[in-house]
């Protein structure tokens, strides 16, 4: 009879309809067909392959051969190709005494016996392409299905293999795994907790089954209690294990197979502040040159310990990151400092590109050297896209720097976020800015405190928290004076005035705006002076002094126009136009609106002048200089 060597069918197989369809399509794509199912440990590669083999067993009348290549055995102690061929030949009916003595003869006999037969060869847990090639049938009509934690791109290059990456289970399928083990009644009683359990298990069938097994063995344990236990990152890996297997054990085997550079980077990933990173962050963490760090990331991606997204971006899923953190004692803690310096330097470059011509808010701390290869941004759009992509890492870096005893990095990273903060002011910046302000206060650095008070105060103002905003903004001018930063004092006064206007104190706001304009004029710094005049003009328009508003706008427009951004000039022209319209000088107003529209698009709405008064001046001055920004609305 034809051989049938499959292990028993996986119990409770769930979902994977799309993957099974893609596998069927790939199995018909070549003569012979060669398919490689790849994915991280515990994602269900073997279950998928064996389930598919049972489903389509009748398509292979010549038999089904199966071998577990045990790629994860330490020191390569798994079966060798010659031993697997020996077992296959015996399954095909070759007596022991007729087995060839040499490897070449064994391969030739194996392939000759499969000629003309429709056979499925399932090679499970392959280590690399070299382990697989001697076991390929190589004859039309046969199909070979390989599973591996590594990508085995070599088989695609030499044998036209179809690579089928296996994704984690979708949340509904993850919940269905729980149902197959603990039953519909318990899942239906706690649907929200069941969904949380699926998420906490990263969509890995192995982790889900281990969690379900724990619940099955404890009928009185609620799904909510289990989910609450798994939220504790220090216990999650230990809870997702039982007497003979676990997530931690499977990950350990994957890591043991890594080349040295990949193993070094994996250990250092325990120090990363987020779940995503690029090759620049990898180089900072590991201390490797950028090209070697990129190669190490590829090694981790090939082993499915990180997931490659687009371009130079990689994701580490929660359970893998937790396992990496369990090895933190072996990590080089200097890597965190290098990473924080990398993010600070990158943010400085992004701020310069997002606001061309502006001066930096801060320099690197004394004694800190910049990265060997800081990022380069093509322009404002490129820089802003980087900010959006790295936002979670940057805000986490602020907290990580403060927690690790690097307050001098914490506040600097935070203030360099300002180009994104002013564009997404309602996006929950308060926690990161409060941590940064606490770090600046701990340093007793008035320059840092002044900048953070201004930035945080403005954010609070724009989000309607006026009392809290004023607590910070009223401190900022005096801190700037202590820091010897007159431009920072001007900016602090402007932001303080904006908050006062929000609470109805127009007199106090006007006094501070006028003071800011006088101080800015004395500084002989056109950029700062035009900013202060814009805010003073907006205030005059609000309190019914349009003639003064026009004067201030025209003074600001005449100050070094070649240094003013289109946005700044558009705001000034818009305010001037509204003042002219208030006075009935409609033709002059239309000209102002047309010039503003030519710079930035359609004219600002009628209420834009009042909104403009709530704008922000950020950055401050002093050594090494000021970085100013105006935002309407």
């Amino acid at each position: 009879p034809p051989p049938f060597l499959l292990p028993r069918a996986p119990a409770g197989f769930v979902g994977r309809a799309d993957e099974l369809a893609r596998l069927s399509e790939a199995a018909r794509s070549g003569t012979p067909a060669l398919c490689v199912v790849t994915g991280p440990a515990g994602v269900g590669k073997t279950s998928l392959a064996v389930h598919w083999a049972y489903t389509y067993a009748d398509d292979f009348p010549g038999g089904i051969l199966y071998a577990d290549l045990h790629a994860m055995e330490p020191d390569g102690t798994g079966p060798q190709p010659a031993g697997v061929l020996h077992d296959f030949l015996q399954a095909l009916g070759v007596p022991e005494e007729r087995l060839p003595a040499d490897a070449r003869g064994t391969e030739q006999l194996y392939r000759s016996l499969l000629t003309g037969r429709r056979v499925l060869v399932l090679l499970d847990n392959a280590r690399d392409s070299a382990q697989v090639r001697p076991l390929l049938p190589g004859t039309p009509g046969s199909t070979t299905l390989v599973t591996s934690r590594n990508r085995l791109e070599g088989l695609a290059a030499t044998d036209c293999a179809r690579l089928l990456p296996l994704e984690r289970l979708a949340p509904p399928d993850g919940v269905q795994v729980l149902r197959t083990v603990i039953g519909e009644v318990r899942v239906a009683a706690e649907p929200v907790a069941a969904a949380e359990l699926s998420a906490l298990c990263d969509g890995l069938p192995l982790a889900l089954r281990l969690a379900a097994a724990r619940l099955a063995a404890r009928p009185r344990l609620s799904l909510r209690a289990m989910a609450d236990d798994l939220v504790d990152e220090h216990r999650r890996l230990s809870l997702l294990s039982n007497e003979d297997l676990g997530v931690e054990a499977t990950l350990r085997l994957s890591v043991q197979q890594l080349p040295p550079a990949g193993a070094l980077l994996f250990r250092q990933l325990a120090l990363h502040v987020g779940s995503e990173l690029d090759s620049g962050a990898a180089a900072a963490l590991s201390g490797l040159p950028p090209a070697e760090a990129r190669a190490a990331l590829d090694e981790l991606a090939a082993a499915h310990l990180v997931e490659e997204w687009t371009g130079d971006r990689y994701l580490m899923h929660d359970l893998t990151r937790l396992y990496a953190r369990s090895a933190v004692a072996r990590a080089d803690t200097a890597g965190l400092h290098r990473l924080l310096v990398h993010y600070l330097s990158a943010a400085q470059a992004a701020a310069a590109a997002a606001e061309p011509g502006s001066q930096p808010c801060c320099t690197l701390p004394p004694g800190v050297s910049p990265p060997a290869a800081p990022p380069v941004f093509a322009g404002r759009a490129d820089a802003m896209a980087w900010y959006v992509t790295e936002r979670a890492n940057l805000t986490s870096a602020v907290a990580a720097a403060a927690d690790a005893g690097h307050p001098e990095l914490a506040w600097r990273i935070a203030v360099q976020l300002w180009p994104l903060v002013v564009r997404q002011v309602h996006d929950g910046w308060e926690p990161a800015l409060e941590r940064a302000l606490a770090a600046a206060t701990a340093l007793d650095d008035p320059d840092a405190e002044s900048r953070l008070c201004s930035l945080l105060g403005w954010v609070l103002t724009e989000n309607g928290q006026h009392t809290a905003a004023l607590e910070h903004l009223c401190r900022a001018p005096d801190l700037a004076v202590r820091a010897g930063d007159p431009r920072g004092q001007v900016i602090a006064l402007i932001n303080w005035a904006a908050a006062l206007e929000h609470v109805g104190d127009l007199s106090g706001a006007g006094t501070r705006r006028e003071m800011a304009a006088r101080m800015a004029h004395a500084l002989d710094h056109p950029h700062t002076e035009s900013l202060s005049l814009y805010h003073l003009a907006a205030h005059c328009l609000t309190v019914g002094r349009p003639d003064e508003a026009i004067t201030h706008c025209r003074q600001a427009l005449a100050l070094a126009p070649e240094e003013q951004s289109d946005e700044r000039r558009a705001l000034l022209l818009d305010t001037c136009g509204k003042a002219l319209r208030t006075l009935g000088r409609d033709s002059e107003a239309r000209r102002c609106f047309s010039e503003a529209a030519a710079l930035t698009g359609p004219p600002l709405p009628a209420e834009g002048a009042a909104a403009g008064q709530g704008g922000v001046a950020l950055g401050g001055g002093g050594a090494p200089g000021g970085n100013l920004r105006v935002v309407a609305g």
Side-chain angles (χ1 to χ4, degrees), residues 233-322:
E233 294 186 349
H234 299 290
R235 300 182 61 210
R236 193 181 309 174
L237 287 176
S238 63
L239 290 171
L240 295 177
S241 63
N242 63 21
E243 56 188 353
D244 60 352
L245 76 160
V247 174
E248 186 172 7
T250 60
L251 289 170
R252 185 184 305 114
L253 291 172
S254 294
V255 173
Q256 287 173 351
Q257 303 294 320
L258 289 172
L264 167 64
L265 177 57
F266 185 83
R267 291 195 301 272
Q268 294 301 104
L269 288 179
L271 301 172
H272 193 249
V273 296
S275 59
E276 295 183 27
L277 76 163
D278 58 15
S279 59
L285 277 169
S286 62
L288 294 169
E292 293 182 29
R294 191 174 295 110
L297 272 173
D298 286 341
E299 292 170 1
L300 297 183
H304 291 95
L305 291 167
V306 297
E307 185 174 340
E308 189 172 0
W309 286 87
T310 56
D312 187 34
R313 196 114 192 121
Y314 298 81
L315 169 70
M316 177 176 278
H317 288 279
D318 286 348
L319 292 177
T320 310
R321 189 167 68 253
L322 291 178

Side-chain angles (χ1 to χ4, degrees), residues 141-166:
S142 63
T143 295
T144 304
L145 180 55
V146 182
T147 73
S148 179
R149 298 185 190 183
N150 298 313
R151 288 190 297 211
L152 305 193
E153 295 176 4
L155 288 180
T158 61
D159 296 273
C160 298
R162 293 284 293 272
L163 305 183
L164 303 176
L166 191 58

Side-chain angles (χ1 to χ4, degrees), residues 418-475:
W418 70 267
L420 185 61
V421 173
V422 297
R423 289 167 172 84
Q424 299 180 359
V425 65
H426 304 299
D427 205 16
W429 296 101
E430 292 88 342
L433 295 178
E434 287 166 357
R435 289 298 302 273
L437 178 56
T441 303
L443 287 170
D444 193 22
D445 184 336
D447 177 57
E449 286 189 74
S450 174
R451 295 174 191 274
L452 266 302
C453 282
S454 283
L455 180 52
L456 175 58
W458 174 73
V459 169
L460 291 168
T461 299
E462 292 295 301
N463 284 283
Q465 301 178 58
H466 305 308
T467 301
L470 287 168
E471 290 177 3
H472 296 296
L473 292 171
C474 68
R475 296 177 56 224

